[in-house]
């Protein structure tokens, strides 16, 4: 299995190389050269298997020779052993045709743990085999950073620096990043918003001297191994609800387009997905683009669903690459327009291709709060604001006869203020995390300046 860059100018890599590299050297994102597919019988055979077994079957073809079968199985087992639910991604029914898939039973209470716990184990295995050491720098709107710090803390072949927008993550998110005491993980509070964090991260990857000097590796949602880990739960949910004998639809609270793009991969692999629905908050560049209004950056408006507060959605480049029939020159051109002109128009053909795969909806702040309250009233379930956005858009899109699954991307206790505002109930943290507010914090405030950040990292790791 080979991986190619969406911009066509970087070397082809193996799975392991693509994982350790993150962003391609031409600024593009790695995608598999071909996407393997399953027969109807292969999919039918997954029904009722344990999560780890389905994970193995779904991911194995993408890994190639990078890990042998037994090693890869052991990595998967270790990755999900710390989850607090045996089903890993359990389904909860909301009404006759609408289900929630709870993706928040991992150590940091958001779906990011599915990918990050796996990638931590994969990095550890690959680096110890190579006798190598890397510096991981990540940008986070809140959940990726805590998941990365949790997954990599204490690993001796890895230094981790997480940039988060100062003052724009929830207190639970911040504390999950600043309270682990292991010295190889560090939280950096950047004076800027999440797009600034992402932009500085990209700048670091494009500064080859720095990149090579510190052996920079990325675990942001652009890392192919993360997308791959997220493909698995589309299969577990679908087969639990009667696929391949009937179709299924998914609605995904979306920011950087990683989670929903994993659904597209599942569809390419043969999962009969009828609708794949992008749900956005008021930061709606994706909804505007998918409804034919071009892809133009606006300002980021902080919302009560901060993990979706983006204006540039990194993984959307992968969707464009496939919508443009894998034309890397066309993708490079669009990305140049985005950088220099702040946006681009999608060609008629590509827009049609995108609209055949993705539907979309946008939810306001008021509607988000109303949905949290409505879901509680109708079912007793307390959902987080991101999940509420998904549920609202899903209700607007679902069709009779096809089950709709909304991805519940975080535990409500991660966003207690919004939940309390909507319901009057303060959602308690699960017992394993109940002393989070008492643990000491460790954080460095840093300017939104590439040079300052790079110097800090070099000093900290002592190269
Ligand atoms: C990261 C995140 C999202 C957005 O996921 P993407 O893969 O970036 O589209 C949605 N909800 C929560 C809670 C998240 O942490």
């Amino acid at each position: 299995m080979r991986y190619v860059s969406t911009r066509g100018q970087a070397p082809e890599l193996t799975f392991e190389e693509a994982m350790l590299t993150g962003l391609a050297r031409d600024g593009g994102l790695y995608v598999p050269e071909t996407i393997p597919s399953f027969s109807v019988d292969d999919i039918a055979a997954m029904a009722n298997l344990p999560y780890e077994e389905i994970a193995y079957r779904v991911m194995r073809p993408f890994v190639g020779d990078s890990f042998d079968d037994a090693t890869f199985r052991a990595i998967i087992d270790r990755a999900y052993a710390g989850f607090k639910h045996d089903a890993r991604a359990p389904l909860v029914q909301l009404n006759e045709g609408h289900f929630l898939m709870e993706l928040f039973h991992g150590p940091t209470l958001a779906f990011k743990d599915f990918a990050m716990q796996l990638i931590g184990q994969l990095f550890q295995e690959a680096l110890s085999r190579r006798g190598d050491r890397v510096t991981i720098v990540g940008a986070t709107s809140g959940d990726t950073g805590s998941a990365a710090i949790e997954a990599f803390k204490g690993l001796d072949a890895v230094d981790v620096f997480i940039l988060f927008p100062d003052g724009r993550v929830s207190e639970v998110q911040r504390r999950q990043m600043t309270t682990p005491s292991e010295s190889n993980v560090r939280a950096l509070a950047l004076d800027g918003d999440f797009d600034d964090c992402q932009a500085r991260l990209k700048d670091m990857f494009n500064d080859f001297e720095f990149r090579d000097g510190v052996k920079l590796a990325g675990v942001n949602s652009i890392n192919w191994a993360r997308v791959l880990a997220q493909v698995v739960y589309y299969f577990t949910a679908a087969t639990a609800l009667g696929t391949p004998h009937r179709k299924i639809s998914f609605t995904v609270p979306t920011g950087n387009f990683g989670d929903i793009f994993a659904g597209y991969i599942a569809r390419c692999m043969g999962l009969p997905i009828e609708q794949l629905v992008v749900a956005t908050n008021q930061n709606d560049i994706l909804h505007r683009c998918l409804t034919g209004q071009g892809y133009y950056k606006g300002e980021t408006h902080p919302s009560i669903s901060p993990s979706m507060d983006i204006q540039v959605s990194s993984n959307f480049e992968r969707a464009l690459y496939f919508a443009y029939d894998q034309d890397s020159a066309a993708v490079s051109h669009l990305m140049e327009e985005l950088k220099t002109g702040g946006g681009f128009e999608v060609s008629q053909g590509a827009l049609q291709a995108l609209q055949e795969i993705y539907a979309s909806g946008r939810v306001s702040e008021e509607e988000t709060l109303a949905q949290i309250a409505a879901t509680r009233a109708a079912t007793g379930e307390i959902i987080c604001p991101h999940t509420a956005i998904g549920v609202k858009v899903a209700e607007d899109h679902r069709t009779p006869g096809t089950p709709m699954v909304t991805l519940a991307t975080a535990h409500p206790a991660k966003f207690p203020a919004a939940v309390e505002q909507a319901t009057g109930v303060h959602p308690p943290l699960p017992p394993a995390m109940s002393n989070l507010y008492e643990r000491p914090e460790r954080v460095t405030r840093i300017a939104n300046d590439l040079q300052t950040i790079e110097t800090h990292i070099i000093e900290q790791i002592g190269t």
Side-chain angles (χ1 to χ4, degrees):
M1 171 68 70
R2 306 292 292 176
Y3 289 84
V4 298
S5 165
T6 49
R7 301 194 195 171
Q9 300 296 315
E12 288 184 18
L13 300 180
T14 65
F15 174 79
E16 179 175 323
E17 290 164 341
M19 172 185 85
L20 292 173
T21 302
L23 192 68
R25 291 184 90 88
D26 58 4
L29 278 58
Y30 277 104
V31 288
E33 202 169 33
T34 55
I35 298 174
S37 65
F38 288 126
S39 69
V40 168
D41 288 345
D42 291 337
I43 295 172
M46 288 179 196
N48 302 322
L49 293 177
Y51 187 90
E52 283 80 353
E53 176 64 30
I54 296 180
Y56 177 77
R57 293 185 187 192
V58 169
M59 294 191 287
R60 187 72 195 94
F62 290 94
V63 170
D65 300 330
S66 293
F67 299 93
D68 65 51
D69 293 353
T71 304
F72 192 53
R73 277 188 188 278
I75 285 171
I76 293 171
D77 288 347
R78 284 200 297 276
Y80 300 114
F83 278 53
K84 301 290 187 226
H85 197 299
D86 274 355
R88 309 309 183 213
L91 294 169
V92 167
Q93 189 161 9
L94 292 180
N95 60 35
E96 63 287 354
H98 191 174
F99 299 80
L100 278 182
M101 174 156 56
E102 293 184 348
L103 299 177
F104 51 69
H105 295 282
T108 68
L109 310 180
F111 83 89
K112 305 289 197 300
D113 289 323
F114 277 87
M116 213 59 87
Q117 287 291 320
L118 184 80
I119 226 183
Q121 297 300 326
L122 289 168
F123 265 68
Q124 182 176 32
E125 179 70 31
L127 291 169
S128 63
R129 202 162 60 191
R130 292 166 167 233
D132 211 349
R133 182 180 181 85
V134 298
T135 303
I136 289 173
V137 183
T140 187
S141 56
D143 294 329
T144 297
S146 47
I149 283 176
E150 194 60 43
F152 287 93
K153 68 183 190 190
L155 299 185
D156 54 12
V158 188
D159 278 293
V160 176
F161 296 84
I162 297 297
L163 294 167
F164 70 88
D166 198 5
R168 298 204 190 190
V169 300
S170 82
E171 184 171 4
V172 174
Q173 289 176 318
R174 191 192 70 233
R175 287 181 171 274
Q176 284 181 338
M177 291 188 276
T178 58
T179 57
S181 57
E182 287 82 355
S183 61
N184 72 318
V185 294
R186 300 162 186 92
L188 305 179
L190 185 107
D191 184 16
D193 62 20
F194 175 49
D195 289 309
D196 293 323
C197 295
Q198 288 207 110
R200 294 300 78 73
L201 182 66
K202 275 210 163 186
D203 293 344
M204 279 182 250
F205 273 94
N206 289 325
D207 177 349
F208 292 138
E209 198 187 328
F210 175 78
R211 179 175 179 164
D212 296 337
V214 303
K215 295 199 182 158
L216 191 61
V219 295
N220 252 50
S221 69
I222 51 126
N223 192 302
W224 168 256
R226 283 192 49 191
V227 174
L228 180 59
Q230 293 164 179
V231 177
V232 174
Y233 44 69
Y234 288 90
F235 279 91
T236 62
T239 53
L241 292 173
T243 295
H245 310 296
R246 63 174 177 177
K247 292 195 166 197
I248 187 161
S249 294
F250 291 93
T251 300
V252 187
T254 296
N256 258 329
F257 214 83
D259 213 4
I260 189 147
F261 187 74
Y264 167 72
I265 296 293
R267 187 176 181 265
C268 293
M269 294 177 79
L271 202 64
I273 297 179
E274 185 175 280
Q275 291 190 88
L276 204 46
V277 189
V278 173
T280 78
N281 65 21
Q282 59 193 358
N283 297 295
D284 61 352
I285 186 169
L286 288 166
H287 176 59
R288 282 185 278 122
C289 181
L290 291 168
T291 50
Q293 301 170 63
Y295 190 84
Y296 293 95
K297 284 192 243 188
E299 249 180 55
T300 310
H301 301 287
S303 78
I304 56 170
S305 45
S307 304
M308 293 157 61
D309 285 349
I310 54 103
Q311 276 303 343
V312 178
S313 182
S314 357
N315 278 292
F316 194 55
E317 180 168 340
R318 288 191 164 108
L320 290 167
Y321 176 76
F322 287 101
Y324 278 87
D325 280 330
Q326 310 186 36
D327 179 349
S328 54
V331 172
S332 304
H333 187 72
L334 295 178
M335 292 302 141
E336 198 51 42
E337 278 186 70
L338 179 65
K339 198 170 167 190
T340 55
F344 53 80
E345 289 294 324
V346 178
S347 76
Q348 208 47 48
L351 180 62
Q352 205 176 333
L354 287 170
Q355 288 174 336
E356 274 165 22
I357 301 160
Y358 307 101
S360 67
R362 168 202 203 271
V363 178
S364 70
E365 297 287 275
E366 300 71 41
E367 289 169 322
T368 305
L369 289 169
Q371 186 63 55
I372 296 173
T375 297
R376 172 147 193 266
T379 68
E381 295 290 327
I382 294 187
I383 55 178
C384 91
H386 311 78
T387 304
I389 288 168
V391 168
K392 167 88 171 82
V393 172
E395 282 298 315
D396 295 342
H397 280 81
R398 72 192 178 89
T399 51
T402 302
M404 171 64 84
V405 176
T406 295
L407 276 56
T409 50
H411 190 285
K414 228 172 163 176
F415 303 94
V419 170
E420 189 163 359
Q421 192 186 345
T423 63
V425 177
H426 188 88
L429 283 167
M433 224 167 275
S434 54
N435 71 346
L436 187 66
Y437 287 88
E438 280 108 65
R439 298 182 206 156
E441 293 193 73
R442 189 166 55 94
V443 62
T444 304
R445 295 219 154 64
I446 201 144
N448 178 18
D449 174 65
L450 181 65
Q451 209 52 57
T452 310
I453 300 166
E454 289 185 348
T455 305
H456 177 76
I457 290 173
I458 290 167
E459 280 171 10
Q460 288 285 309
I461 63 175
T463 55

